[in-house]
Amino acid sequence: MASFVDNPNGIYPSVCSLDCPDQCGLLLHKKNGKIIKVEGDPNHPVTKGFICNKVRNMTERIYDEKRLKYPLKRIGAKGEGEFARISWEEAINTITARWKELQQSDGPESILPYSFYGNMGNLSAEGMDRRFFNRLGASQLDRSICNSAGSVGYQYTMGGSYGTDPEETIHTKLFIFWGINAVSTNMHQATLAQQARKENSAKIIVIDVHKNKTARLADWFIPILPGTDTALALGLMHVLFAENMVDSSFLEQFTVGHAELREHIVQYDPATVSGITGIPVEDIVRLAKMYGETSPAFIRIGNGPQHHDNGGMFVRAVSCLPALTGQWKVKGGGAIKGNSAYLAHNTAHLQRPDLLKNKKTRVINMNLLGEALLTLVPAVKSLYVYGTNPAVVAPAANKVQRGLKREDLFTVVHDLFLTDTAKYADIVLPATSSFENTDFFTSYWHHYIQLQQPVIEPFEEAKSNVEVFRLLAKGMGFTETAFEETEEELIDQSLTNPLNPYIEEITFKDLAKHQYIKAKAKFPDSFPTPSGKIELFSEKMEQDGYPPLPTYVPLINDSDHPFQFIAAPNHNFLNSTFANQAKHVGLEKEPEVVLNHYDAEKLGVKSGEQVRIWNERGECILKASVGDSVLPGVAVTQGLWGEETGAKQLVNTLTPDRIADMGGGATFFSGRVSVEKLPNA
Ligand SMILES: Nc1nc2c(c(=O)[nH]1)N[C@H]1C(S)=C(S)[C@@H](COP(=O)(O)OP(=O)(O)OC[C@H]3O[C@@H](n4cnc5c(=O)[nH]c(N)nc54)[C@H](O)[C@@H]3O)O[C@H]1N2
Ligand SMILES: Nc1nc2c(c(=O)[nH]1)N[C@H]1C(S)=C(S)[C@@H](COP(=O)(O)OP(=O)(O)OC[C@H]3O[C@@H](n4cnc5c(=O)[nH]c(N)nc54)[C@H](O)[C@@H]3O)O[C@H]1N2
Ligand code: SF4
Ligand SMILES: [Mo]
């Protein structure tokens, strides 16, 4: 069979590789060997031909003039961005020579891989790279920057990442978007809600600290004070029990600890909860009644509240709600925090932890990158970055920059662009786009496995992650066959997972034939918790040093600065991806900070004026947007703008690198700042 690449023209199936729950099916239109149009695949059962604006404009990115064409070595100071072209041979030789020296002088744990999901393909993001670094015995990275606090919190309640099938939410009568800006970050869930509203008179509720795009389409927007959502969840439980709106037979059959919980939540009466959350008593009661009386009722648990000091406990608490009402068993009811358990593939086969030979290597939390580079003993001497842009996306950015500037740190960055991080690298390697690779994709929201086959030739001298790790393995003299297996073989091995009953044996050929294969998912009757039930009371939590029942713990008050600072993603970028595409930047215009008019008046600031935002960690200068879309005391900005788009717009200079209550999670939104009108503005 001729490959897609061999045909200069045609329309080919593809999948969006970005770190986004929707994982849309795509069709790539090709003419004279180039992709000229990216559109949604109408045959995709969930995304149905609709895709976001970001990816409709993807050709701007894959054929951007600025894309890296060949390997580079640094010739200027770190951070300056002065580089000279080198060959792949020189690049690989330079890296492996340095790593062989470090193996001898400092041991392999002086080398730290640093990656995230810039490309969600399983082979690219956590395949050949894991094999390589296991074999090397490098330090391990705890990839905790996104949703790990909530994942652990959810696990205490549910045992694993099992949620509602989003396709069933077409039947839902009540949608609660809780700390998720779905219109921008999970657009098909927002579409399903709007469809259910039209066909089914469903109601849409948004609980957020910001009247964002999703809140603006809601039937009811409930503004809440940052980091207080656990108290709201407990207040809802209080009313549900008090008004006898709980499903006793569900509680009996599928949960443990409902009697203890019933007693525990007495203290979270609506007046108390109102005082914590800033939500009026009557709204708390009304929300509880709507939730208790509407069926099916569905909660989309977002990432916003998970990026706080108490993010793990938030998810722990909210995931108890559908158990109280029995909504887990109602078609279109329940909740989605994530759904990755249904599509769990064979990571032992793909990542080969056995290559580590039982060595206990140290684990470094990725949220502490700056700290690790500046203070860790024994020191990190080499950093290998791929699929992420930590100079922009990691917290406490000034620390990260200082770490990256260390003269004795040997840094390699593999990316499609000379990112802000790559500017600090000693060696820069050009990456292919996902449309140039073979890979398989498993969504963390819907239930489908998808295939990417290469549609275009690699861009100039760019290489995929898999290929680069094969070359590095060869350069290091690793002779295991694990480094020679083809992408097709890797896919076959990964999708043979006897541990996951929801996927039977799936092969590369099956995927090529069907493009979309759905897990045979069914919401479980017993759960992988210690008791086999949904744990409202968790002994495991008690053993791990947490309160065994859902409990509100306030944010850490990290300073006296008057504003809680929420630096969330925006509509037209994906994290920092697209922040360097003229088209996407044009759509966003410039970064703003949203303030309440009451605060703005006190500061003497009007919409459109530049303000300085600062704390002990750093400062930013952004344009003020004044109104009533945030509560007093809250400052919200959207978008991870890089340094190249303007001075002092790096919001992560302000964010804390404290670690959340669970899972080593990030606390991007728990920092405080001061704001002032720019003196000469
Ligand atoms: N367009 C676009 N889509 C994306 C991304 C992107 O950058 N751009 N990023 C992708 C990734 S990696 C992820 S993890 C997801 C994240 O997507 P979401 O789950 O939507 O999470 P966030 O956008 O981080 O935050 C969601 C909302 O939480 C609110 N929030 C902050 N603090 C609190 C709080 O204490 N309580 C409540 N109730 N709300 C709060 C914020 O105001 C924001 O509106 O989106 C993915 N999709
Ligand atoms: N202030 C603040 N900071 C945040 C967040 C927030 O809400 N607020 N969100 C956090 C969250 S949830 C996340 S998930 C992180 C995400 O942060 P990152 O994972 O860093 O995401 P991106 O900024 O999109 O960077 C991905 C990079 O991978 C590169 N890339 C893409 N495909 C490939 C490939 O195949 N190979 C290689 N080698 N490179 C590739 C892209 O070009 C891009 O430079 O950011 C976190 N940072
Ligand atoms: S970024 Fe998300 S919504 Fe946009 S095409 Fe990709 S998966 Fe779909
Ligand atoms: Mo994320």
Side-chain angles (χ1 to χ4, degrees), residues 16 18 20 22-24 26 51-52 54-55 187-188 574:
C16 177
L18 297 176
C20 171
D22 299 58
Q23 203 151 93
C24 295
L26 305 178
I51 60 171
C52 67
K54 307 183 284 295
V55 172
M187 65 174 267
H188 294 90
L574 203 124

Side-chain angles (χ1 to χ4, degrees), residues 19 116 145-147 303 307 444 575:
D19 187 354
F116 212 63
I145 206 165
C146 180
N147 61 2
N303 230 37
H307 278 166
Y444 50 91
N575 302 315

Side-chain angles (χ1 to χ4, degrees), residues 335-354:
I336 298 179
K337 142 77 172 89
N339 263 329
S340 48
Y342 296 116
L343 292 177
H345 57 273
N346 194 333
T347 49
H349 238 130
L350 179 57
Q351 305 180 1
R352 298 289 305 273
D354 57 295

Side-chain angles (χ1 to χ4, degrees), residues 19 179 181 184-185 208 212 227 229 303 308 569-571 573 575:
D19 187 354
N181 187 10
S184 298
T185 63
D208 207 287
N212 56 27
D229 301 77
N303 230 37
H308 282 291
N570 66 5
H571 190 75
F573 302 167
N575 302 315

Side-chain angles (χ1 to χ4, degrees), residues 240-532:
L240 290 171
F241 275 117
E243 303 276 330
N244 213 9
M245 290 186 289
V246 296
D247 181 338
S248 306
S249 65
F250 185 93
L251 287 173
E252 254 334 295
Q253 198 182 341
F254 294 109
T255 74
V256 290
H258 55 91
E260 290 91 334
L261 182 65
R262 180 190 287 268
E263 222 170 276
H264 171 72
I265 49 76
V266 171
Q267 58 187 309
Y268 298 101
D269 60 277
T272 303
V273 169
S274 173
I276 298 170
T277 59
I279 303 172
V281 168
E282 54 281 13
D283 286 353
I284 295 167
V285 175
R286 180 173 159 223
L287 175 63
K289 287 195 172 158
M290 276 175 88
Y291 184 66
E293 286 166 357
T294 316
S295 183
F298 166 75
I299 305 174
R300 182 67 175 92
I301 306 173
N303 230 37
Q306 296 179 53
H307 278 166
H308 282 291
D309 295 313
N310 54 14
M313 191 58 101
F314 159 73
V315 175
R316 150 77 173 142
V318 172
S319 55
C320 294
L321 284 167
L324 262 59
T325 54
Q327 282 294 322
W328 282 126
K329 282 284 170 194
V330 179
K331 201 182 177 111
I336 298 179
K337 142 77 172 89
N339 263 329
S340 48
Y342 296 116
L343 292 177
H345 57 273
N346 194 333
T347 49
H349 238 130
L350 179 57
Q351 305 180 1
R352 298 289 305 273
D354 57 295
L355 292 170
L356 240 181
K357 304 217 159 57
N358 291 323
K359 272 183 290 198
K360 284 266 176 286
T361 45
R362 66 177 169 183
V363 180
I364 296 175
N365 185 323
M366 72 186 298
N367 294 313
L368 296 173
L369 177 62
E371 198 66 37
L373 293 179
L374 293 172
T375 64
L376 215 62
V377 183
V380 174
K381 290 286 181 68
S382 179
L383 185 70
Y384 184 93
V385 180
Y386 56 108
T388 181
N389 183 14
V392 177
V393 309
N398 282 328
K399 267 199 221 172
V400 174
Q401 277 189 14
R402 268 190 283 133
L404 290 172
K405 274 195 184 141
R406 256 179 51 199
E407 278 308 321
D408 65 331
L409 180 73
F410 177 72
T411 302
V412 182
V413 174
H414 183 209
D415 203 294
L416 287 79
F417 289 90
L418 193 69
T419 57
D420 286 316
T421 312
K423 289 187 184 135
Y424 294 91
D426 297 280
I427 302 285
V428 178
L429 305 173
T432 47
S433 76
S434 64
F435 300 156
E436 297 153 45
N437 304 337
T438 303
D439 214 325
F440 79 104
F441 290 76
T442 44
S443 166
Y444 50 91
W445 173 65
H446 62 60
H447 288 346
Y448 291 83
I449 306 175
Q450 292 166 250
L451 179 66
Q452 176 69 57
Q453 293 179 263
V455 173
I456 47 173
E457 298 278 1
F459 182 78
E460 303 283 341
E461 292 187 13
K463 293 189 191 297
S464 71
N465 294 6
V466 174
E467 219 181 321
V468 174
F469 285 106
R470 280 197 198 110
L471 290 175
L472 288 170
K474 207 164 174 195
M476 292 302 291
F478 300 161
T479 52
E480 288 82 355
T481 53
F483 300 107
E484 276 152 33
E485 283 161 356
T486 65
E487 280 84 341
E488 297 187 19
E489 287 168 333
L490 293 174
I491 292 175
D492 285 345
Q493 293 169 13
S494 306
L495 292 175
T496 306
N497 187 6
L499 297 176
N500 180 358
Y502 303 111
I503 56 171
E504 283 158 11
E505 210 176 295
I506 296 170
T507 62
F508 173 85
K509 282 210 177 74
D510 298 330
L511 269 177
K513 185 165 167 213
H514 300 286
Q515 187 63 21
Y516 312 118
I517 297 183
K518 190 173 184 179
K520 294 180 175 44
K522 186 183 162 289
F523 192 74
D525 283 326
S526 79
F527 302 84
T529 52
S531 64

